[in-house]
Amino acid sequence: MGNMWYSYVSNPDTAPDFKNPPTFDPMYGFPDGRQERTICATREQLDRAKVPLKKRDYCVDYYMKFLECRQKHFPRVWSYCHDQIHEWEHCQIEDTVLRVKEWEREKRLKERAKRKARRESMEALD
Amino acid sequence: MATFMKVCSVLAKHKKPLICHRQSNLSTSSRLFAAFWNKDWKPGPIPRTPEERAAAAKKYGLRPEDYNALADGDIGDYPELPLVARSWRDPFEDYDLPGEKRNFGEPVNASADIIGADLWDPNADGRYTYGQMLMYGVLTFFGFVTAFLVLSPYEYFPPEMPKQYPFNNLYLEKGGDPANEPEIKHYTFKVPEE
């Protein structure tokens, strides 16, 4: 709720655009760099397993393990595959946290850019 | 089965109904006319002579000059009384039965138990006219429509950036040109392990 107040009422100019990817350089502010996100599965493996497009995010490895377990133990999926589902859902939660961090980073960088622009314009007046 | 037979025998022996009311000729319960029917309360035959009329007026608690007409329907000598809603009676008078706004022994209209002592008032004006009701309904509906239209640019969102997908945001899977595949990388917030 606070993010909506921030975006629509108090700071619409520095609010991040939540519909588009971040606008700043991903490495800006990380002197030691950032770890890249990867998955172990290949495109061919995903196509062979017919994984839906919506599930082909950075948690597909866990999802594929769940699919394997499900195929093995169907119809008693919930009894045998609880761990796999839990791992996959945990990955999704961490992905959500990462997205929230990206929003926060975007917001702070935008505020910083605004402060810098104002300082530069004040210095230009002097 | 045994309990069922027992219940039947109990009901057969007890002629009284199973509602708990005090066994008296005087109905002082606060529920108007809720007691079961007593044969002594049945109206008598239509009075013909002035003496019979006077006796009937006394029975019903009316003065002889007030006992003029008989009630509608085939109910003997029951008098016709005005069907006045309880809400029209003085609210500050000290009634014997304040819940019914009625004094003890006061006769009531023959149809009062069906009409309802506190529900139906033939002279009551509603709080709102039909025109007002329609106006308020229409205003409420269009109020909701206006709120929807005014607030629809300000959509609800959690504070997250869009979801990140591998393989350059699934460029080929979404039908992109293989020759123009862009290079999109995504990162975590951790320092790369050596």
Side-chain angles (χ1 to χ4, degrees), chain A residues 5 21 29 49 61 66 69 90 92 108 112:
Chain A
W5 180 268
D61 299 326
F66 162 65
C69 171
H90 185 72
Q92 296 280 10
R108 291 186 194 187
R112 184 164 178 270

Side-chain angles (χ1 to χ4, degrees), chain A residues 3-4 7-8 19-20 27 34-37 43 53 56-58 92 95-96 99-100 103, chain B residues 154-157 159-167 172-173 181 185-190 193:
Chain A
N3 56 298
M4 291 203 286
S7 304
Y8 296 137
K19 292 198 162 114
N20 296 319
M27 293 303 183
R34 288 166 81 171
Q35 194 178 46
E36 204 179 315
R37 291 183 94 181
R43 266 177 160 145
L53 283 186
R56 293 193 192 195
D57 53 5
Y58 281 101
Q92 296 280 10
D95 180 69
T96 306
R99 286 167 66 192
V100 174
W103 192 87
Chain B
Y154 304 102
E155 64 172 285
Y156 174 83
F157 69 97
E160 296 169 358
M161 287 318 238
K163 200 164 165 70
Q164 297 169 344
Y165 291 94
F167 302 124
L172 292 179
E173 284 85 346
E181 188 165 357
K185 283 185 187 279
H186 295 123
Y187 301 95
T188 66
F189 281 87
K190 296 194 175 105
E193 291 147 28

